[in-house]
Structure formats: structure tokens, C-alpha cells
Amino acid sequence: MIWNREQYMAHMRFEDTGRELFCELFGPLIGLEEEWAAQGASEAERNLSAFGWDYVLREDLPVRTGAITGLSERIVEDTPEYTISIDRMGRTQKLCKGRATIPLPLDYPVKTMDDWLKIRHWYTFREDRVDRDAARALAKRQQQGTLVLGRIPGGFDEPRQLMGEENLCIALYEEPEMIEDMLNTFADTALKCFERVSDILTIDNLFVHEDMAGKSGPLLGPNLIREFVGPYYRRVWDPLERAGARLFSQDSDGNMNAVIDAFLEAGINVMFPFEPNAGMDMVTTRRRYGHRLAIKGGIDKFALRGTIEDVERELTYKLCPEMMGGGTVFALDHRIPNGVPIENYRYYVRRGRELLGLPAAEPSAFVPMAF
């Protein structure tokens, strides 16, 4: 089913639309399509169009709130095993082919306040960040059912991109003024960008990417979130919410349990992907937070590597009545991993639809729902 903005926002605000939302957030990991081809999967199964996944009509707001560096990516070394490149932030990075989809930075542009001040102009506002003509065209599509998505740099993730995790975590204690200036700059620019189109359309869903946690927990505790990240979020979210925005979604892998309360205070009302192997349990979270937090993902992707009984057990637990009726996007907790047999995936889709009361899958385009 293709969901429009009104249906999706109602569902995510815990209104019963009469239908559950079942999708893929990200799609397969590299190499899985080849595994499935060897197991006899059709082309439509390999590209996921055979499974009739739900998705939402959506488009990004035509503004750029993040870094505009003026740098272009260039390849330094390319081998069958890896690629070394210089990215648009001037970082040397390495991508291991066949095993990774995201390159690993080997160095970073910011170590001190002086370094930050040299590149601060990457994030300051300029009028060419906003395309008002494109916004007018998008406003017409919004009236026809397209969800408008606004993005902001992560309060943890963007400084991490500039500094690396270790340097950032130290700087929060030793150079807090620099981190505050970064976040204030991000907020100033985002607000000016959004203000430039506020007379044209409404931002429906504000989105932020963080990826700030591992299995043992988040790299920032609730006190640091309340001191640094929360005020940044609120500066952007509060005026958008007053103007009609309804959803503020956050993408972070890992175990975020310790900081859910702090992020709810900061305005977040949707979180994903809820990785069970990192300690996230969507059912337990729903029981604790009720309608304060909508959930996307949460179904253990690794259960699909096991037996049919393992898949059945996972689905029976997660696709339970208390998770239905709005506020849940049922999906795997990240990309479909290598080692998942096509027969298990077929069962997952078929049985999941049965438990959710959905009709049999009809072929349709596959559109990821990671936002």
C-alpha cells in the first residue's frame, strides 16, 4: 500500500487508520541478492518488489541545512579489496568492498576551536541553501498527499563527522564552548532555511540522524543530551511544531534505552530502528512509554537466519495486539543480513501479513522507509 501524508501522520500519532504499516527500512546488505539468486529467487524477489512493501509518498524539503564545503570527493587509490578517497569534508576515508556500504574516515578536519572556526562557514546560512521555486512545486504535491521531510544535522553525529567519536566525547568536557557554537550554528542555519519556506508549505516530519550507540549503550548520557543536544533540538523543533509539524524522528542504531527520556524531553516522538541484539525491545518500550513514542523497526533481523520456528517466534512476540492500532511501523531492525535464506524471508513476509491482518502481497515498487 502507498500511504499518503495524512494516513501516515495519523498512524504515527496513534490514530487507528484501520491498517497496520509493514515495510523494509533499509533493504538488503551487499551480497544478499547474489545469495538469493543461487537459491532460485526471482528478480522481483531480489529487488524486493515482489513483497508488496508499504511505503509513504514523501519528499525532502528543497533546502540544505548541513555542510556546504565546496570540496568534491576524489579517489586516491582503488583496489579490488578497498577504495581510499578524500571526501567532501576533506577527510581521507577507506571503503572495504563487498563488506561495507559506509566508508571509514581515517582523519578529521576539527581538533581545536581554531580548526572549527576555519570551517564554520561550511554551516552558516546563505540564500542559495533554499530553493523557493522547488518548494512551491512541492507544496502542490503536498496538497495531493506527499509527506514533506525536513532534515537537520545530528547533534552528536555531525560533530562526530567533524571530529571523530573520541575527540568529540573529550571536547564535550574540555571544550564545551566549541560544541555549543557548533550546535548553535546548525540551529541558526536550519531555522533560517525553514523560515524561508514557511509561507509556502508545512514541514510534516523533522528528521535527524545520530547513530550514537552500540550494544553497551549510547556514547552520550542523558545529562549531556540535556545540556547540549536537547536545547539544539528544541530550538529547531518548537517553532516547526507551532507551524504544524507533527513528527520528529530520530535514527540511531544501538541501545538507546538510557537516553529515551532525555530525547522525549527534546521533542523526539519517533525512534528507529530498535535493534534487539543491542538490547532494544519494542514491546517493552511500548509498555513503558505508551503513546509518547512511535516505533519503527524492532523485528530481529537475525531471527530470519534461523529456523522457520525462530521466525514464527519473533513475529508472534513483536506483532502482538498491544503494538497495533497506530504508532508502529513493523519492519526489520536494519538491513536484511547475509545468510537469510529466501525461503525464510518469504515466510516472514507471508506470516507477518497474516498476523497484521494484511492482504497477500502484490508486486509493487520497493521504497525504503528510513526517515
Side-chain angles (χ1 to χ4, degrees):
M1 174 178 166
I2 304 174
W3 292 62
N4 63 37
R5 64 184 289 264
E6 292 83 3
Q7 292 168 324
Y8 179 70
M9 287 194 292
H11 181 82
M12 298 305 283
R13 299 282 291 179
F14 292 89
E15 298 176 26
D16 190 349
T17 61
R19 193 184 193 280
E20 300 302 326
L21 208 165
F22 194 28
C23 76
E24 279 289 355
L25 296 181
F26 298 95
L29 275 173
I30 293 174
L32 183 63
E33 292 183 47
E34 290 75 13
E35 292 179 24
W36 282 1
Q39 296 167 26
S42 67
E43 180 179 353
E45 288 177 319
R46 298 196 302 274
N47 64 31
L48 303 187
S49 64
F51 299 108
W53 290 120
D54 291 343
Y55 65 91
V56 179
L57 289 170
R58 75 177 191 276
E59 291 186 41
D60 282 353
L61 189 71
V63 304
R64 293 184 289 174
T65 60
I68 300 179
T69 68
L71 303 176
S72 299
E73 185 169 338
R74 58 187 177 88
I75 303 297
V76 175
E77 182 181 0
D78 193 28
T79 76
E81 292 78 30
Y82 61 83
T83 298
I84 303 289
S85 63
I86 306 295
D87 73 1
R88 66 183 184 87
M89 288 184 168
R91 303 175 301 188
T92 303
Q93 56 182 7
K94 182 176 183 178
L95 176 66
C96 295
K97 296 180 179 178
R99 291 182 292 162
T101 58
I102 300 174
L104 177 67
L106 304 178
D107 55 36
Y108 298 92
V110 175
K111 296 181 178 64
T112 66
M113 175 65 95
D114 286 342
D115 295 331
W116 160 244
L117 293 176
K118 290 176 184 177
I119 64 152
R120 191 174 183 270
H121 65 278
W122 290 357
Y123 294 94
T124 53
F125 179 75
R126 36 196 261 199
E127 291 294 344
D128 64 356
R129 286 181 174 272
V130 180
D131 188 335
R132 284 176 59 86
D133 290 337
R136 292 187 188 95
L138 177 55
K140 295 177 181 178
R141 294 190 292 275
Q142 184 179 42
Q143 293 172 0
Q144 297 166 354
T146 295
L147 184 86
V148 174
L149 189 71
R151 299 176 184 264
I152 57 172
F156 177 86
D157 182 63
E158 194 69 18
R160 180 251 305 277
Q161 300 299 331
L162 295 172
M163 304 185 68
E165 291 172 348
E166 183 177 352
N167 288 336
L168 169 58
C169 290
I170 292 172
L172 286 162
Y173 292 96
E174 296 188 351
E175 297 193 75
E177 297 85 359
M178 177 175 66
I179 306 305
E180 288 176 350
D181 190 61
M182 286 182 179
L183 299 180
N184 284 331
T185 302
F186 301 162
D188 290 342
T189 296
L191 286 168
K192 290 175 182 176
C193 286
F194 297 152
E195 287 168 359
R196 295 300 192 278
V197 297
S198 62
D199 61 329
I200 299 174
L201 46 61
T202 299
I203 298 171
D204 298 314
N205 190 153
L206 183 64
F207 168 76
V208 64
H209 174 270
E210 294 293 5
D211 272 5
M212 56 176 288
K215 285 187 175 182
S216 60
L219 290 171
L220 294 189
N223 290 345
L224 287 174
I225 289 168
R226 291 184 174 110
E227 182 177 355
F228 292 97
V229 183
Y232 163 53
Y233 281 13
R234 277 291 173 190
R235 277 198 64 200
V236 180
W237 172 245
D238 287 349
L240 290 184
E241 186 178 31
R242 288 194 296 269
R246 291 294 172 261
L247 304 176
F248 186 2
S249 55
Q250 181 195 75
D251 172 5
S252 185
D253 298 343
N255 190 329
M256 295 287 283
N257 284 314
V259 292
I260 290 177
D261 286 286
F263 279 121
L264 289 176
E265 293 169 18
I268 293 293
N269 54 24
V270 183
M271 296 181 76
F272 69 95
F274 268 78
E275 295 182 290
N277 277 267
M280 300 296 288
D281 187 311
M282 62 194 292
V283 179
T284 300
T285 302
R286 176 58 48 77
R287 290 169 181 165
R288 178 175 180 181
Y289 293 102
H291 289 189
R292 296 176 64 200
L293 181 65
I295 294 169
K296 299 171 69 170
I299 301 173
D300 187 357
K301 56 187 176 289
F302 294 119
L304 274 64
R305 280 179 169 174
T307 64
I308 293 296
E309 290 73 23
D310 293 327
V311 180
E312 176 69 23
R313 188 178 306 109
E314 177 68 8
L315 288 173
T316 302
Y317 174 55
K318 299 291 174 62
L319 278 58
C320 59
E322 63 190 300
M323 297 301 300
M324 299 185 193
T328 308
V329 174
F330 294 97
L332 296 182
D333 63 290
H334 216 285
R335 292 187 180 274
I336 312 163
N338 305 103
V340 171
I342 185 60
E343 191 54 46
N344 281 17
Y345 193 79
R346 290 168 180 154
Y347 181 83
Y348 162 69
V349 176
R350 183 173 64 252
R351 182 62 174 143
R353 297 184 75 91
E354 289 174 358
L355 290 170
L356 294 174
L358 302 178
E362 295 183 3
S364 66
F366 165 59
V367 179
M369 284 276 289
F371 64 88

